[in-house]
Amino acid sequence: MFICIYFIANTFEWIRLIKTLLEIDRANSEATLAALERFSTQQPVTYKTGSGTTFTHSVQEIFFQIITHSTYHRGQIATELRSIGIQPPMTDFIYYKMISGT
């Protein structure tokens, strides 16, 4: 009985977490689209790293970094899942477009 209750509670916690992550993803997507409408992709952006070094890159370069860096982390996660015997889900964008019919 305890195991069943724990499993159900844990399942609800996962559902809540997934909903939260989807809300964060939606908010990030909306903010990204707003930024693309507001700024030219060639516009330079000056920023400081955590160590205090100043850099200037275009909006296009920054978005490219974000996209390629997220790909790197998806690969890390897939590798970790495989190492514990779990087949990772397909994460290719074009595959998502094919199966979603959009």
Side-chain angles (χ1 to χ4, degrees), residues 3 5 23 28 45 48 67 70 96-97 102:
I3 292 174
I5 292 170
E23 289 168 4
N28 282 339
V45 176
K48 286 187 180 181
I67 293 165
S70 68
Y96 165 75
K97 296 296 280 182
T102 59

Side-chain angles (χ1 to χ4, degrees), residues 15-32:
I15 291 169
R16 186 189 66 74
L17 175 62
I18 290 168
K19 285 176 127 179
T20 300
L21 292 173
L22 288 171
E23 289 168 4
I24 291 169
D25 183 59
R26 187 177 316 108
N28 282 339
S29 294
E30 289 171 4
T32 299

